[in-house]
Amino acid sequence: MGSKLSKWQDAQPSTTRRTVAKTEKEPECSDAAMPGTEKVPEGPLTNKIVEAAPAPIEPKPQNTLVETGFKAFSAMGLKPEILSGIEKLGLSEPSEIQQLAIPQLVQRKSLHIRHISKSGKSLALIISILQLIDAGNPSYQVAILVNTREQITQLLQYWNPVLSCIPDVRILGLYPNKLRDFFKTTGYQILLCTVGRFQYILQTGGLFDSWELHDMGVNLKDLRCLVFDDIEHVDMNTERAEELVGDILESLPADLQVVTASAIRVPELEKGLMKLGNPPALLLAGSPHYEKCMDQTMQVHVLAKEFRRDRLIKSKGYRFGADIDEV
Ligand SMILES: Nc1ncnc2c1ncn2[C@@H]1O[C@H](COP(=O)(O)OP(=O)(O)OP(=O)(O)O)[C@@H](O)[C@H]1O
């Protein structure tokens, strides 16, 4: 594992971040009249709609499970403190991916969550983690891995209203200069760090059973859940995606809940995830274009039509179902 791990970079520049944006195909123009076509009379450009939008493609059964969701956060069995944290954020209803993911995450299922950027994946992860944490046990129970230090800051600031709703749950955002302290620190239940930092910790501390630094206060033996948020940004090429799965995931205990979230499809990663002892289900919300990213290797969960969202109230950047053109 060692030599491969050294290849990892801690930070990915934010400019490499891939987002899936709505694109409209520009009509091709040519001065020369093509055989069999009529010449278009010259004149002012208009905003005329040329083609009607294609009809949405409905899910095909095959390896797809159509699930019902919860139309309200309050129906999900969440702790009252978490519900008030959600209220503080000003969110009234769960998004599609939140309806799909939260109920399964709180049952400690390993999942690969794939839905477009800004669909509410990160918040689904945070809510579920807070629900699962045993606040009375002051040792690391969840590790959240991100790709850049900036993401650590963003995550801590952005979701602070929810994170601070349960004061007994403490989250350590591990910046490089705090790494030394980390080995002496106790009392945190959530570890938030970059993929590279986590690999370093594994390298220097060994895996769970032979955790040499245990006596110094670090205790990863209670780690029950490993989360990779925005996993597509780790690296998009085949080698790195396979390396990720090979180096980290395959070396972890089989009963550890492994949750990955991605805005786009990384086929190599999905193949790698299937090699795990407890392969994750693939989650997708009700995008009309979801069929594009269906694969035959994973169980696909989709949301029944009546639970999909056209719009959400008080959204700060949430991308509506109607905006989904590419996945
Ligand atoms: N249930 C909701 N209702 C309204 N807005 C929401 C809801 N959940 C999340 N949002 C908003 O949507 C935006 C994106 O949320 P989040 O970061 O969780 O999405 P994401 O899918 O993880 O995005 P990315 O793929 O870019 O990481 C945030 O601004 C958040 O406030």
Side-chain angles (χ1 to χ4, degrees), residues 20-21 25 37 46 71 83 102 108 124 133 164 187 199 201 234 250 265 271 280 293 308 316:
V20 183
K25 208 175 176 184
T37 59
T46 65
K71 290 187 173 176
L83 291 176
I102 295 171
R108 298 203 178 276
I133 291 282
S164 59
Q199 288 176 313
I201 291 163
V234 168
E250 284 186 347
R265 185 175 183 205
K271 276 184 213 147
C293 39
R308 296 179 196 166
K316 293 182 219 155

Side-chain angles (χ1 to χ4, degrees), residues 17 73 91-95 98 115-124 158-159 229-230 232 263 312-319:
R17 192 179 168 91
F73 283 115
L91 310 181
S92 52
E93 298 170 89
S95 70
Q98 287 160 0
H115 201 212
I116 57 162
S117 175
K118 306 292 168 218
S119 55
K121 298 182 293 297
S122 298
L123 183 60
Y158 200 71
W159 302 122
D229 198 9
D230 292 336
E232 75 275 22
L312 285 172
I313 301 160
K314 286 243 182 196
S315 170
K316 293 182 219 155
Y318 173 76
R319 291 182 71 197

Side-chain angles (χ1 to χ4, degrees), residues 26-230:
E26 294 289 330
E28 286 176 10
C29 299
S30 167
D31 284 345
M34 296 291 288
T37 59
E38 287 174 18
K39 190 161 184 185
V40 180
E42 285 177 14
L45 290 174
T46 65
N47 289 331
K48 209 168 86 180
I49 297 167
V50 181
E51 278 180 21
I57 303 160
E58 281 303 308
K60 286 200 177 140
Q62 225 161 0
N63 59 345
T64 304
L65 279 185
V66 180
E67 300 212 7
T68 52
F70 290 101
K71 290 187 173 176
F73 283 115
S74 57
M76 291 180 173
L78 299 171
K79 294 171 187 165
E81 306 93 293
I82 298 177
L83 291 176
S84 59
I86 293 169
E87 212 178 309
K88 272 192 221 160
L89 281 173
L91 310 181
S92 52
E93 298 170 89
S95 70
E96 293 182 351
I97 199 68
Q98 287 160 0
Q99 292 189 63
L100 268 174
I102 295 171
Q104 302 215 37
L105 290 171
V106 298
Q107 288 178 47
R108 298 203 178 276
K109 289 194 180 157
S110 286
L111 298 175
H112 178 48
I113 303 171
R114 170 156 39 91
H115 201 212
I116 57 162
S117 175
K118 306 292 168 218
S119 55
K121 298 182 293 297
S122 298
L123 183 60
L125 294 172
I126 297 292
I127 289 172
S128 310
I129 287 167
L130 290 175
Q131 178 73 14
L132 286 175
I133 291 282
D134 172 6
N137 176 4
S139 58
Y140 293 100
Q141 296 161 45
V142 179
I144 305 175
L145 309 187
V146 293
N147 299 297
T148 62
R149 278 176 255 173
E150 289 71 28
Q151 273 177 284
I152 296 176
T153 314
Q154 272 172 13
L155 203 141
L156 288 173
Q157 283 175 353
Y158 200 71
W159 302 122
N160 191 47
V162 193
L163 290 170
S164 59
C165 67
I166 311 182
D168 292 344
V169 172
R170 297 179 68 216
I171 178 163
L172 177 69
L174 192 60
Y175 297 94
N177 56 352
K178 284 194 183 160
L179 196 58
R180 190 177 282 265
D181 294 342
F182 168 76
F183 293 113
K184 300 174 198 155
T185 311
T186 56
Y188 292 91
Q189 293 102 339
I190 303 174
L191 168 64
L192 171 63
C193 66
T194 61
V195 175
R197 281 298 138 198
F198 190 72
Q199 288 176 313
Y200 176 75
I201 291 163
L202 290 182
Q203 270 184 318
T204 52
L207 287 175
F208 308 95
D209 285 342
S210 57
W211 189 257
E212 292 165 12
L213 299 163
H214 180 67
D215 291 345
M216 292 172 70
V218 178
N219 183 358
L220 284 188
K221 284 179 187 285
D222 287 343
L223 197 70
R224 304 218 28 209
C225 178
L226 184 66
V227 174
F228 291 82
D229 198 9
D230 292 336

